[in-house]
Each structure stands twice: as structure tokens, then as C-alpha cells.
């Protein structure tokens, strides 16, 4: 046994008793069916590598490379996305084949074994057992071929990809009998994506067939022993991939690596400890937490080098990350991570600010060093503002300047916003002006709050005024947010239910869903309705109104309850708005309905695509009884906790516990509360109070109560 392996085994055994075995509650198949689009395979939390099976891209539901309905594999690729609406990655794929012409294999789910950090499938043609595990930068394969004598064959395909990615250049070199190296460049969702690899084998291989520059069939003597393959990745160059390999996985002990991956997952899953007798809910919860940690993913080498947004190689004193689906994750995933992953937040902030330095604006949807500009608004701004206001950013002046710079550009409809104070639909050629306007109001609000904290009065006044421009889209006659032209008139005709995809005034939604997209100023939105009562009546109607979204409606609009769409992110904060008008008891049954009916312990277990952790994050934090409605600021609204107890490890050895006494499927209403033993009447709690550590105890009952209904107790 090498010293490395001995140390690895000791590390695993020494920590195994200190952390609960939570990986047993994870069902990685949840979300692999329906429209969940989740990744299935072997990875470690927030790692660069997501090593797993890849299928042919047969449509939208194959964006992660794997869909539960399918039974054909084309390779085991090194990187995948989880929950996105666009397909990409699938790089550096290996596939056992019986001859040089075979391009795919058939498999059955009954022959699969999947758990965090480990994937296995037994194939029949050829007969081979495939096992996968991973470290942060290295994918580890183990192939056990049946029989002996004849050479075993592995196809290595550098052109293979997921979705709309297209290879533009590649290199494959055999440096020694046991080492292949190379790179792959491609264009697609990410316009110039580069990945370098170092591939090592446990025994000599030869290139038996090289039928193109992109595909080679490798032959290895089948002596009855497993063939081990390690593939290290780097965004920088081949030498860095080799260094990543030597640092993370110099040895060949597959089982010890698998055990360490399991322990890494256990360590991170223990960030929240829940108490419940319902094992199904426990599986849903810990699977959601597992899915949350697929991304953001590391995008730097072990020595800190990374490829920047300008394509140049740089060195960082922080950990650089990628895969930021910010239009989705600013809503719940990032606020949740500020609670349970505080040590990562400065790295996220530094990544954001460096991206801004390199590309001229904060990230929109960043993928492998590339700005995809996917989705609308400036969603990196409210996230960075939230991190700044919560004290995670070391250089607040720099953070403010990057936010201000991003919001003072002319691109992405901001020029129209600066000129008119809103975005006129007749002057914007790309539609969706209501959604863009409301998203930018949220971002402006974040800039204003940071400006206020820094004493920048003029900047505060400017961005605060812009953040309130949402009122320009509100039509008092209909009670909806509507598109406004350069003449100040609303667009006609108007249908609040129609949701034509990417050609109407909303993004993946309709007027019913977008009228509530003012989470940064709910009291101001209430005033537009003239009274709490009228606001309440409109909000009640959202969950009742039925109607045809139209044949061109976005497939993202799913999980419908009336016109509320839990399967898509713009709706995620809406239920919690009841707290702002003193009616938290109205939120309770709706919250329980979403938690119980929109999440299941099955492949079709998500009511919409995962969106890189956001769908799961809503469940995680809501099940704990909390939710941050305002994107930048830190107040968490108190809802209806699903579990008897949720203990959040908030860093520095401190925990914050939400206890729900008398909790059940009928006792869903908060009757009274205490915070650290003292009566607590507010229907929200500040971030600062949570991260101090302590205990919020909620007494639950079967009927609505007066708790949280007084004006002084609302999040105003």
C-alpha cells in the first residue's frame, strides 16, 4: 500500500464516525425523468469533473446528457451540466466496444448502481462492468471485462458532445504506453470552450484504430484484471492537467477514491441535519441538497491558475468557479449558500469581480470561462450586492464599482432604460420588455443598497429611483404589469394568460406570473393595488385562475397551480408575499402543497428542470421554514417548516435550529414563536440573527392564528 493510499484510507475511516451516513438518503435518479434534466454520474461537491453516462441528444430533455426514458449510451463523458435548458459538455468520452465500428451500447437501469460519488453499469455487448468515481479534477474509471485472451477495446471520442456543442479543434497524443494527453476546443452555448486532459492507464494500451482526428479505438490486453483509467482535466493546459492528477490522484486505489468521494458528500450533506420520521421526505431533502452542490463548479487548477473570461491564463489567490445560472439561482440557491457555505462566498464574489474586469460586466450565465448572455437582466448584480451587504466581500468599493459599471452599460436594453426610465416595447427589438424591466429594477435596488452602505448619496438616489421604475409597467385598470411604448401607452391587445415563448413581453411566463416580480419592494407593489385587501384578492386569484397559455408557450412553464408556475423560477418567491400583508397563514397551505406535490422520490420527481440547483434550493430552505424573498439584503421570511427540526451549520462552529413543535400534515400554521427562548412575533428573521447561531422555535397548529399578522411584525 502506498503512503498516499494509506493516508487516504485513514482519512476516510477517521472521519466516518464523526459524520452521519447521509448519502444513503440520496436518490440520484430524482429529476432524471420528466423535465428535471439533472446530471447522473460520479462527482464530488462543486468539482470540475462530472463523470457519467452520456446518451444521444434526442431533444430538450437530454440537456444533461442522460434521460431516464432512454436505454442507449454513447460514452462516459467527463463533464455534464445539471438541470439546464440548453445542452453542452459531455467532453472526453470513453466507451467499451466490441469492434471499431460500434458507436453505442444498450443498457438497463436494473444493471445500474448509483450513489453520490459513484456510478456503475453492467453492459452486455460487450460484456463489461463499468465503474466511475471522481475527485475535484480527476475522473476515475474501472472497466472489468469478461473472459480473457482477446484485446479489450475502448473508444475515445473527442468530437462527442451534448446538445448544440460543436468541436472546433482537438489533439490526441500517446506520450507513453500508459499515457494519452490532449485537448478539445468547441463552440456552442459557450463560444470558445477549451479543456485539456491527461489520461493514464493502469497497464499499456495501444491505438488500434484512428479512424479520424477525433476518434480512436484503444486496445488493451484482457488478462482478467480490471483496467483502471484516470483522466485529469485542466482549463489551462496539458501540464496543468498532469499536475492536477499528481496532486489529487497519484495512486490507483479505486475503492479508496470512491470511499473518499462518499465521505466528501457526507461532510457537505451534514451542513443541514433534519429530524423527521418520514423517510421519503428525508430522501427528497438530501437529494435536493446533493443536487444543489453540483454547481457552481471549480474552474481553476490545484495551483490556482485558470482561464479567464478574456481567454487569458491567470493566477488567483482564491478559488475560481464557473457554471453560474444566475437568472435562476439568485432567487434561492445563492441566499441558501450564504447560510450553509459561508466559506465559499468570498470566492464567488472574487470570481464575479474578476469576470467583470475581464469581460466588462458581471456574469449573466457563465459557462467554462465564457459569457453565454443567456436569459435577461443583470442577475449577477443582486447576488454580488447580497454578498456585499452580508459582509462576505473584502473590497466593498470594488464590488460597488463592478455593479455600477454593469448597470450603466448600453447593452441588453440598459441604454433604453437610461434614456426613458423604462424599456419601451416598440424600441426594443428583442421583446420581453416587462421581464427585463422588472429584473433590472431588482439589480438597481442591490446597487442602491450597497451605495447607501458606503455613503454614496448620489449613486444611492440614482439607482434607488431606477429600482422603483417597476411602477411604470403597472396598469391599475387591469391590475397587471404590462408593456409600455415610447408614447407611454400600454401595448394592446392584452392577454394576461398568453405565454408565447420569447416573443411576448415576458420571459418564460405571462402577466399573471410577472406582476409579482418585485421582490425587492413588496410594500411598494402592495401600494400600487391601493390596499392590502385588493393585493390579497389578486394574489388569491393567481392560484385559482385557469386558462390556455397558448400553443407556443414555453415548456418551462410547469408545475401550475392556477397561474402560479412552480416549475419555473419567476414564481418562486410569490407565496411568501402573504407575510408582507399580515397573512402568513395563507402562505402555509400553499407552501405545503408545493413541497408535497411538486417534489417526489422518483425519476420524474421535479415539476420543472433543476436549473443548476434552484429548484432544489427552494425545497431545501422552504422545508427548513425560511425563504429570502428580497434578492439583496438578508431577511428570511418564515413559512411552514416541513420537518420537526432543521439544524443549519452556519459556520464558525455555530448552528441555527428551526424547531417545529406539534408539526404534522394538518398542523401547518404557526401559532407562536420564540427566538433563543424569548417570544418572537415577527414573520421574518434577519440574516445576521441566523448566522449568530441560536434557535427559532415555532409552535404549530391546525388552524390559522394571529401570529405575524400585526403591521409591526410584517417584513415592511
Amino acid at each position: 500500500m502506498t503512503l498516499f493510499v494509506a493516508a487516504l484510507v485513514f482519512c476516510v475511516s477517521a472521519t466516518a464516525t464523526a459524520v452521519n451516513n447521509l448519502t444513503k438518503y440520496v436518490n440520484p435518479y430524482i429529476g432524471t425523468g420528466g423535465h428535471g434534466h439533472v446530471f447522473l454520474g460520479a462527482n464530488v461537491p462543486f468539482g470540475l469533473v462530472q463523470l457519467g453516462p452520456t446518451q444521444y441528444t434526442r431533444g430538450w430533455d437530454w440537456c444533461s446528457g442522460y434521460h431516464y426514458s432512454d436505454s442507449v449510451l454513447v460514452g462516459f463523458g467527463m463533464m455534464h451540466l445539471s438541470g439546464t435548458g440548453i445542452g453542452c459538455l459531455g467532453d472526453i468520452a470513453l466507451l467499451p466496444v466490441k469492434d471499431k465500428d460500434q458507436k453505442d451500447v444498450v443498457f438497463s437501469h436494473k444493471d445500474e448502481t448509483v450513489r453520490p460519488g459513484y456510478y456503475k453499469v453492467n453492459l452486455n455487448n460487450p460484456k463489461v462492468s463499468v465503474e466511475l468515481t471522481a475527485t475535484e479534477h480527476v475522473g476515475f474509471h474501472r472497466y472489468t471485462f469478461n473472459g480473457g485472451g482477446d484485446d479489450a477495446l475502448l473508444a475515445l471520442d473527442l468530437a462527442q458532445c451534448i446538445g448544440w456543442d460543436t468541436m472546433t479543434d482537438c489533439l490526441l497524443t500517446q506520450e507513453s504506453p500508459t499515457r494519452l494527453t490532449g485537448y478539445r476546443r468547441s463552440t456552442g452555448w459557450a463560444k470558445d470552450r477549451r479543456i485539456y486532459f491527461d489520461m493514464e492507464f493502469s497497464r499499456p494500451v495501444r491505438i488500434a484504430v484512428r479512424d479520424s482526428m477525433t476518434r480512436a479505438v484503444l486496445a488493451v490486453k484482457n488478462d482478467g484484471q480490471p483496467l483502471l483509467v484516470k483522466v485529469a482535466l485542466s482549463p489551462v493546459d496539458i501540464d496543468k492537467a498532469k499536475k492536477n492528477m499528481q496532486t489529487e490522484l497519484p495512486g490507483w486505489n479505486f475503492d479508496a477514491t470512491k470511499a473518499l468521494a462518499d465521505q466528501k458528500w457526507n461532510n457537505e450533506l451534514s451542513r443541514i441535519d433534519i429530524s423527521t420520521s418520514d423517510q421519503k421526505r428525508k430522501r427528497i431533502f438530501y437529494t435536493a441538497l446533493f443536487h444543489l452542490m453540483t454547481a457552481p463548479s471549480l474552474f481553476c487548477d490545484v495551483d490556482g491558475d485558470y482561464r479567464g473570461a478574456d481567454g487569458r491564463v491567470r493566477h488567483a489567490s482564491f478559488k475560481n468557479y464557473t457554471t453560474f445560472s444566475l437568472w435562476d439561482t439568485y432567487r434561492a440557491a445563492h441566499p441558501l449558500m450564504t447560510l450553509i457555505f459561508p466559506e465559499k462566498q468570498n470566492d464567488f464574489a472574487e470570481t464575479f469581480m474578476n469576470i467583470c474586469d475581464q469581460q466588462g460586466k458581471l456574469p449573466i450565465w457563465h459557462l467554462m470561462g465564457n459569457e453565454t448572455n443567456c436569459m435577461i437582466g443583470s442577475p449577477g448584480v443582486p447576488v454580488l450586492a447580497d454578498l456585499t451587504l452580508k459582509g462576505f466581500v473584502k473590497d466593498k468599493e470594488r464590488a460597488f464599482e463592478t455593479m455600477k459599471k454593469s448597470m450603466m452599460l448600453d447593452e441588453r436594453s440598459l441604454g433604453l432604460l437610461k434614456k426613458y426610465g423604462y424599456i419601451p416595447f416598440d424600441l426594443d427589438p428583442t421583446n420581453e420588455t416587462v421581464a427585463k424591466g422588472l429584473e433590472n429594477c431588482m439589480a438597481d435596488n442591490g446597487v442602491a443598497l450597497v451605495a447607501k452602505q458606503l455613503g454614496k448619496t448620489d449613486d444611492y438616489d440614482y439607482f434607488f429611483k431606477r429600482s422603483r421604475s417597476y411602477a411604470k409597467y403597472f396598469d391599475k385598470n387591469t391590475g397587471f404589469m404590462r408593456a409600455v411604448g415610447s408614447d407611454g401607452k400600454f401595448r394592446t391587445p392584452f392577454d394576461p394568460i398568453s405565454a408565447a415563448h420569447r416573443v411576448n413581453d415576458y420571459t418564460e411566463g405571462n402577466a399573471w406570473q410577472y406582476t409579482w416580480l418585485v421582490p425587492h419592494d413588496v410594500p411598494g407593489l402592495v401600494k400600487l393595488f391601493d390596499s392590502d385587501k385588493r393585493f390579497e384578492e389578486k394574489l388569491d386569484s393567481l392560484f385559482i385562475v385557469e386558462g390556455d397559455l397558448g400553443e407556443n408557450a414555453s415548456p418551462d412553464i410547469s408545475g401550475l397551480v392556477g397561474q402560479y408556475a412552480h416549475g419555473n423560477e419567476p414564481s418562486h418567491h410569490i407565496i411568501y408575499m402573504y407575510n408582507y400583508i399580515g397573512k402568513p397563514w395563507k402562505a402555509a397551505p400553499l407552501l405545503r402543497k408545493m413541497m408535497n406535490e411538486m417534489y417526489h422520490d422518483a425519476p420524474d420527481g421535479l415539476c420543472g428542470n433543476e436549473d443548476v440547483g434552484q429548484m432544489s434550493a427552494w425545497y431545501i430552505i422552504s422545508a427548513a421554514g425560511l425563504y429570502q424573498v428580497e434578492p439583496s439584503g438578508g431577511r428570511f421570511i418564515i413559512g411552514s417548516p416541513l420537518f420537526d427540526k432543521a439544524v443549519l451549520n452556519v459556520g464558525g462552529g455555530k448552528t441555527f435550529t428551526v424547531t417545529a413543535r406539534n408539526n404534522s400534515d394538518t398542523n401547518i400554521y404557526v401559532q407562536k414563536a420564540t427566538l433563543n427562548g424569548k417570544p418572537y412575533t415577527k414573520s421574518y428573521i434577519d440574516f445576521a440573527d441566523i448566522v449568530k447561531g441560536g434557535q427559532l422555535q415555532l409552535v404549530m397548529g391546525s388552524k390559522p392564528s394571529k401570529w405575524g399578522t400585526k403591521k409591526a411584525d410584517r417584513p415592511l
Side-chain angles (χ1 to χ4, degrees):
M1 182 180 287
T2 67
L3 289 176
F4 169 79
V5 172
L8 187 65
V9 173
F10 173 77
C11 174
V12 172
S13 61
T15 58
T17 57
V19 179
N20 292 331
N21 180 13
L22 298 175
T23 55
K24 68 181 180 181
Y25 296 111
V26 174
N27 176 5
Y29 283 118
I30 293 176
T32 59
H35 300 312
H37 298 186
V38 302
F39 161 67
L40 185 86
N43 63 330
V44 295
F46 305 106
L48 172 65
V49 168
Q50 298 91 31
L51 172 58
T54 305
Q55 301 165 341
Y56 289 112
T57 299
R58 304 184 192 274
W60 190 58
D61 285 327
W62 277 259
C63 286
S64 74
Y66 181 101
H67 194 266
Y68 192 81
S69 65
D70 207 339
S71 60
V72 179
L73 301 178
V74 296
F76 298 96
M78 288 292 297
M79 295 190 298
H80 296 76
L81 294 172
S82 186
T84 58
I86 299 176
C88 198
L89 308 186
D91 301 60
I92 326 297
L94 289 169
L95 181 72
V97 293
K98 64 182 185 299
D99 57 50
K100 67 180 181 64
D101 297 320
Q102 185 176 0
K103 299 295 175 65
D104 55 40
V105 296
V106 176
F107 78 104
S108 172
H109 295 304
K110 66 180 178 59
D111 295 322
E112 286 182 306
T113 302
V114 193
R115 57 179 179 267
Y118 178 69
Y119 174 88
K120 178 181 179 180
V121 63
N122 294 320
L123 304 176
N124 291 315
N125 188 25
K127 285 189 173 295
V128 56
S129 170
V130 181
E131 296 175 273
L132 310 173
T133 190
T135 66
E136 284 75 9
H137 294 86
V138 186
F140 203 173
H141 307 235
R142 181 161 67 184
Y143 298 96
T144 304
F145 298 90
N146 282 15
D150 295 334
D151 283 346
L153 302 179
L154 280 176
L156 169 60
D157 193 337
L158 298 181
Q160 188 184 114
C161 61
I162 297 167
W164 299 266
D165 185 73
T166 301
M167 193 206 71
T168 57
D169 187 23
C170 70
L171 174 70
L172 176 62
T173 303
Q174 183 154 16
E175 292 192 6
S176 76
T178 57
R179 168 174 274 165
L180 300 176
T181 58
Y183 64 78
R184 183 183 188 276
R185 292 185 65 175
S186 64
T187 188
W189 195 9
K191 296 305 179 186
D192 182 15
R193 195 164 59 81
R194 312 178 196 187
I195 198 72
Y196 300 82
F197 66 90
D198 173 35
M199 185 178 297
E200 296 185 17
F201 298 83
S202 59
R203 58 180 184 270
V205 300
R206 60 184 175 85
I207 298 178
V209 178
R210 185 99 183 240
D211 56 8
S212 68
M213 288 298 294
T214 63
R215 186 176 185 270
V217 178
L218 313 175
V220 60
K221 184 178 180 181
N222 186 7
D223 59 5
Q225 297 299 309
L227 172 66
L228 302 175
V229 188
K230 300 184 297 183
V231 188
L233 300 183
S234 166
V236 174
D237 60 34
I238 292 170
D239 286 340
K240 295 294 184 181
K242 291 178 180 179
K243 187 171 184 178
N244 293 341
M245 178 85 78
Q246 187 58 35
T247 302
E248 288 186 0
L249 197 57
W252 290 94
N253 193 321
F254 184 93
D255 290 329
T257 307
K258 179 179 71 172
L260 183 59
D262 181 81
Q263 195 57 48
K264 287 177 179 177
W265 280 112
N266 269 313
N267 290 340
E268 303 298 10
L269 290 169
S270 68
R271 302 277 179 147
I272 305 180
D273 182 23
I274 60 171
S275 298
T276 178
S277 59
D278 191 319
Q279 297 301 294
K280 179 179 178 180
R281 286 177 177 169
K282 202 166 189 177
R283 287 193 297 273
I284 294 171
F285 181 87
Y286 281 111
T287 302
L289 190 52
F290 164 74
H291 282 148
L292 174 72
M293 292 184 273
T294 301
S297 51
L298 279 172
F299 197 62
C300 60
D301 295 319
V302 293
D303 62 1
D305 284 359
Y306 70 100
R307 188 173 299 279
D310 55 2
R312 294 173 54 190
V313 174
R314 301 170 180 274
H315 181 77
S317 58
F318 59 92
K319 289 183 178 179
N320 188 65
Y321 284 88
T322 190
T323 319
F324 289 106
S325 182
L326 293 167
W327 184 81
D328 307 291
T329 56
Y330 81 75
R331 304 166 199 267
H334 277 284
L336 170 59
M337 287 191 282
T338 65
L339 293 178
I340 61 175
F341 296 109
E343 76 285 356
K344 295 187 181 299
Q345 302 313 307
N346 185 64
D347 289 336
F348 292 164
E350 290 291 333
T351 297
F352 277 31
M353 291 187 287
N354 277 273
I355 287 173
C356 185
D357 291 343
Q358 295 155 19
Q359 69 178 26
K361 64 185 177 188
L362 286 166
I364 305 297
W365 208 126
H366 231 255
L367 177 61
M368 301 297 157
N370 286 251
E371 182 54 74
T372 69
N373 282 306
C374 188
M375 305 310 292
I376 60 164
S378 304
V381 173
V383 175
L384 184 57
D386 194 42
L387 297 180
T388 305
L389 294 166
K390 289 177 177 176
F392 290 113
V393 179
K394 296 176 182 177
D395 190 343
K396 293 186 177 183
E397 287 285 344
R398 182 186 176 205
F400 173 77
E401 291 302 325
T402 61
M403 288 186 281
K404 180 178 178 180
K405 179 179 181 179
S406 298
M407 296 308 296
M408 292 303 292
L409 297 172
D410 289 330
E411 63 178 63
R412 296 172 62 81
S413 307
L414 287 171
L416 291 171
L417 174 61
K418 288 190 294 183
K419 182 177 180 179
Y420 289 88
Y422 63 98
I423 306 174
F425 72 81
D426 53 328
L427 300 181
D428 191 321
T430 57
N431 302 311
E432 304 178 334
T433 57
V434 176
K436 291 175 186 176
L438 298 178
E439 292 280 357
N440 282 317
C441 284
M442 280 186 287
D444 283 333
N445 188 71
V447 184
L449 292 174
V450 175
K452 184 177 183 180
Q453 189 180 78
L454 296 176
K456 298 178 182 292
T457 304
D458 290 343
D459 286 316
Y460 169 76
D461 291 342
Y462 175 78
F463 285 104
F464 180 83
K465 181 180 179 181
R466 274 193 8 182
S467 75
R468 268 52 185 176
S469 65
Y470 65 83
K472 295 181 183 294
Y473 304 97
F474 187 74
D475 176 13
K476 283 185 177 292
N477 291 326
T478 63
F480 289 106
M481 295 288 181
R482 295 179 57 184
V484 185
S486 56
D487 59 1
K489 296 179 180 179
F490 293 111
R491 186 204 290 268
T492 56
F494 173 63
D495 181 351
I497 292 180
S498 175
H501 187 48
R502 305 313 303 261
V503 297
N504 70 351
D505 301 321
Y506 313 92
T507 300
E508 298 177 0
N510 61 22
W512 270 107
Q513 291 139 20
Y514 269 89
T515 292
W516 317 100
L517 195 63
V518 191
H520 64 290
D521 185 26
V522 181
L525 179 62
V526 173
K527 287 180 182 178
L528 292 181
F529 283 89
D530 292 331
S531 69
D532 287 1
K533 187 176 188 313
R534 287 190 62 190
F535 180 88
E536 180 183 355
E537 289 171 348
K538 188 76 170 187
L539 188 53
D540 289 345
S541 299
L542 173 68
F543 302 96
I544 300 170
V545 171
E546 301 287 347
D548 186 359
L549 299 177
E551 61 178 359
N552 296 317
S554 169
D556 292 281
I557 307 173
S558 57
L560 284 166
V561 177
Q563 288 301 300
Y564 172 89
H566 193 76
N568 206 25
E569 283 67 30
S571 290
H572 277 186
H573 67 287
I574 296 176
I575 297 173
Y576 289 95
M577 285 181 155
Y578 279 111
N579 287 46
Y580 289 78
I581 55 171
K583 298 291 177 69
W585 56 270
K586 278 200 167 184
L590 289 166
L591 291 172
R592 291 295 184 103
K593 181 180 181 67
M594 302 310 149
M595 286 185 269
N596 291 328
E597 296 181 12
M598 301 297 173
Y599 299 84
H600 302 284
D601 184 19
D604 190 7
L606 295 174
C607 65
N609 50 316
E610 168 68 3
D611 280 315
V612 196
Q614 170 60 26
M615 193 66 64
S616 289
W618 186 96
Y619 182 88
I620 295 163
I621 194 65
S622 293
L626 305 168
Y627 194 86
Q628 181 174 310
V629 169
E630 299 149 64
S632 308
R635 292 196 296 190
F636 284 78
I637 307 305
I638 298 171
S640 179
L642 192 61
F643 303 118
D644 300 334
K645 181 189 291 187
V647 182
L648 283 65
N649 291 282
V650 293
K654 295 174 290 187
T655 61
F656 184 79
T657 302
V658 180
T659 303
R661 287 178 50 196
N662 307 322
N663 196 30
S664 70
D665 286 342
T666 54
N667 292 350
I668 65 174
Y669 302 99
V670 178
Q671 307 294 299
K672 59 182 179 179
T674 60
L675 179 62
N676 299 325
K678 297 180 180 179
Y680 193 78
T681 58
K682 298 183 184 301
S683 67
Y684 65 93
I685 183 169
D686 287 329
F687 170 82
D689 290 325
I690 296 174
V691 296
K692 287 176 186 175
Q695 184 173 75
L696 175 66
Q697 185 175 93
L698 307 174
V699 178
M700 311 300 290
S702 60
K703 295 180 180 180
S705 74
K706 293 184 178 180
W707 175 85
T709 59
K710 293 181 179 179
K711 198 154 192 174
D713 295 327
R714 305 176 193 178
L716 299 176

